Amino acid sequence: MATGPIPLIAGNWKMNGLRADAEALATSLVALREGSGAPACDMLVCPPATAIAAVADSLAGSGIALGGQDCHFEKSGAHTGDISPPMLADLGCAYVIVGHSERRANHGEDDGRVRAKAAAARASGLRPIICVGETAAERDAGTAVPVVLGQLSGSVPEGSASDIVIAYEPVWAIGTGRTPTLKDIAEVHAAIHGRLPDIADKAGSIRILYGGSVNPGNAVEILAVPHVNGALVGGASLKPDDFWAICQACP
Ligand code: PGA
């Protein structure tokens, strides 16, 4: 990654950890960062909703940003169990993940729903991290790029600008220890980069993250791929030393 926006390394903690675990993880990250100085990237953690408030306290003044893992597309109302963008902002969140493949698969979220959530997030001053990615069958059928570009066009709200983040996460690479070849990552990121000017303003400043089995062993080479502007990290983000090593792998 020779030029482009400052990378973003985002930890998606998923449904892991009670408050004490989350506080311990956040406190470890703060200590690592204070020990070695800020890395060449923006750092973000997305704890489970139940731990966001506690983590906000642990991260206060650290320079590490906080995000939600999902949000509703309305500000308030009769939506039992849901969390709105203003509620996340109220806790100190600056980002929210929308359209993660686990939400798309387990909660039937389609592109239209993801787009509405991303629009609502922006309206509340949050930066949506909009996830796209092909399944194994789509990759095998040779349709990864058109599938991803279709999701991108369907999921990015109108009027978007550099406040949005795109995360390319091949579904088959998430939590599996398998990653695409660097050539395949480069191909999809170049395709997303090429399409963004058609659907968003200031497209050159929009970060495109890679996600799916990123770890300290593969981070350097993945983060060096053209148009890879950071990573969305699941499993490895639960281990402070691993997450910190990935942050330090930014070029
Ligand atoms: P993983 O998850 O790093 O555990 O593969 C990535 C993600 O789901 O965002």
Side-chain angles (χ1 to χ4, degrees), residues 11 14 20 36 48 57 80 94 99 135 159 171 180 186 205 240:
K14 307 194 181 182
S36 341
D57 288 343
T80 303
T135 63
V171 178
S205 306

Side-chain angles (χ1 to χ4, degrees), residues 42-135:
D42 290 337
M43 289 175 69
L44 166 68
V45 295
C46 301
T50 49
I52 291 176
V55 171
D57 288 343
S58 304
L59 294 181
S62 69
I64 302 175
L66 187 61
Q69 297 179 10
D70 179 49
C71 66
H72 199 272
F73 57 85
E74 286 186 0
K75 285 194 163 88
S76 63
H79 302 289
T80 303
D82 279 313
I83 297 171
S84 73
M87 291 170 178
L88 292 174
D90 187 40
L91 292 178
C93 289
Y95 292 82
V96 60
I97 299 167
V98 293
H100 189 282
S101 65
E102 287 153 14
R103 299 289 315 175
R104 290 180 185 259
N106 301 342
H107 300 271
E109 295 186 5
D110 59 12
D111 290 339
R113 181 60 60 102
V114 175
R115 181 193 193 111
K117 290 180 176 212
R122 294 188 71 233
S124 292
L126 298 174
R127 297 167 172 263
I129 300 176
I130 302 169
C131 301
V132 295
E134 83 284 358
T135 63

